[in-house]
Amino acid sequence: MTQKHIISRKLRRVFIKGPKKVKMVFKKRKHSKQKCGNCGKHLGGTIRERPYKMRTTAKTKKRPTRKFGGVLCPECTKKELKKRIRS
Amino acid sequence: MLFDIGRVCMKISGREAGKTCVIVDKKNNFLIIDGNVKRRACNPKHLEPLDIVLKIKKGATTSEVKSAMKKEKLEVKDKKKKEKKKLEKPVKKRKTKKSGVNKKEEKSTQKKTSKKSTRKNDKKTTKPKK
Ligand SMILES: [Zn+2]
């Protein structure tokens, strides 16, 4: 009998080529893409990795250096800044 | 007009979004801006005009623009130059430590090594007995 947590497709299957045979390895899945807090659009310039890899990567490689970078999309930042100026 | 020389604006798009700047000159369909941002040509679609106009000449330098901004009580950010002193200090400390602490370190290391050696010997002696 195969184990139950493998049947449920909770883990990702990765095939690694060896010298004589192909080996199957189970790995955990990545989180979903990051979205804009206002309109829900996918954000550019952001990465999706497992937490052990996010810890070692630099902060400038995880989000754009713009104001509200990694939170709002560029079109929503324009609207937000215009709102703050005019109020 | 809206985008005349001396008009204070805010940048909306790009890396410098949210920073204030002043229009200095015009070039074809582009505007040349200066102030809290790097001096560059900019598309007027990337600017949002404010209701302040400064009295400056056409093609004014950065120092002239910043002094005019201070008179209007706008925030001006200058670069800091205090990094050189930080580099010199640790070099001096290392020299003092090596010259003054050498004798103490030698004594302490001797004690530590003696203790460690005894512990290791104890372990080594205990293991083969078992
Ligand atoms: Zn958005």
Side-chain angles (χ1 to χ4, degrees):
Chain A
M1 273 288 285
T2 49
Q3 291 166 334
K4 273 200 171 181
H5 70 277
I6 292 167
I7 293 168
S8 66
R9 294 268 169 179
K10 195 181 177 183
L11 298 170
R12 198 161 53 91
R13 280 144 206 238
V14 180
F15 297 94
I16 296 167
K17 275 184 182 177
K20 285 183 181 178
K21 59 174 183 177
V22 179
K23 196 181 174 185
M24 191 164 70
V25 178
F26 297 97
K27 286 191 172 183
K28 287 183 178 176
R29 290 180 191 275
K30 293 174 186 176
H31 62 77
S32 60
K33 279 182 183 177
Q34 296 183 24
K35 288 169 191 173
C36 171
N38 194 16
C39 64
K41 204 177 169 185
H42 288 307
L43 290 178
T46 55
I47 54 167
R48 41 194 294 246
E49 293 288 344
R50 286 255 101 204
Y52 75 91
K53 212 164 190 180
M54 294 287 270
R55 237 181 285 146
T56 53
T57 48
K59 198 176 183 180
T60 51
K61 284 178 181 175
K62 284 183 242 178
R63 86 257 182 291
T65 50
R66 204 193 313 121
K67 203 168 191 183
F68 304 117
V71 179
L72 295 177
C73 68
E75 286 133 35
C76 288
T77 53
K78 271 185 191 178
K79 284 179 190 173
E80 183 65 31
L81 286 171
K82 277 183 184 179
K83 221 188 258 177
R84 290 188 183 201
I85 292 163
R86 286 169 188 174
S87 65
Chain B
M1 293 293 287
L2 263 179
F3 293 116
D4 256 347
I5 288 164
R7 170 76 65 183
V8 180
C9 300
M10 182 175 274
K11 276 213 82 184
I12 290 172
S13 64
R15 199 180 59 164
E16 290 165 335
K19 290 182 179 180
T20 53
C21 58
V22 183
I23 294 165
V24 178
D25 207 344
K26 285 182 181 179
K27 202 181 188 182
N28 301 335
N29 292 327
F30 289 93
L31 304 167
I32 292 170
I33 55 169
D34 205 340
N36 280 335
V37 299
K38 201 191 169 192
R39 194 188 182 90
R40 60 167 88 248
C42 183
N43 195 326
K45 283 178 183 175
H46 302 164
L47 293 173
E48 182 68 20
L50 305 177
D51 51 356
I52 309 167
V53 181
L54 301 179
K55 288 177 182 178
I56 50 168
K57 291 175 188 175
K58 190 182 177 185
T61 58
T62 52
S63 57
E64 284 174 359
V65 171
K66 283 186 178 178
S67 61
M69 283 173 80
K70 279 178 185 174
K71 281 180 185 175
E72 203 71 25
K73 293 180 181 177
L74 292 166
E75 281 186 18
V76 178
K77 285 184 180 180
D78 294 323
K79 288 180 180 177
K80 292 173 185 177
K81 292 179 180 177
K82 287 183 179 178
E83 291 180 4
K84 283 185 179 178
K85 286 181 181 177
K86 285 180 182 176
L87 289 171
E88 288 171 7
K89 278 180 182 175
V91 177
K92 284 177 185 174
K93 279 181 183 177
R94 278 175 200 165
K95 280 180 184 176
T96 52
K97 272 185 182 178
K98 278 180 184 175
S99 61
V101 189
N102 263 337
K103 290 173 185 176
K104 287 179 185 176
E105 278 183 354
E106 283 175 2
K107 286 178 184 175
S108 61
T109 49
Q110 280 178 359
K111 283 178 186 175
K112 281 178 184 175
T113 48
S114 61
K115 279 181 184 176
K116 278 181 183 177
S117 61
T118 51
R119 279 173 193 169
K120 278 178 184 177
N121 286 327
D122 291 335
K123 281 179 184 176
K124 279 174 186 176
T125 50
T126 51
K127 276 180 183 177
K129 277 177 187 176
K130 284 175 185 176

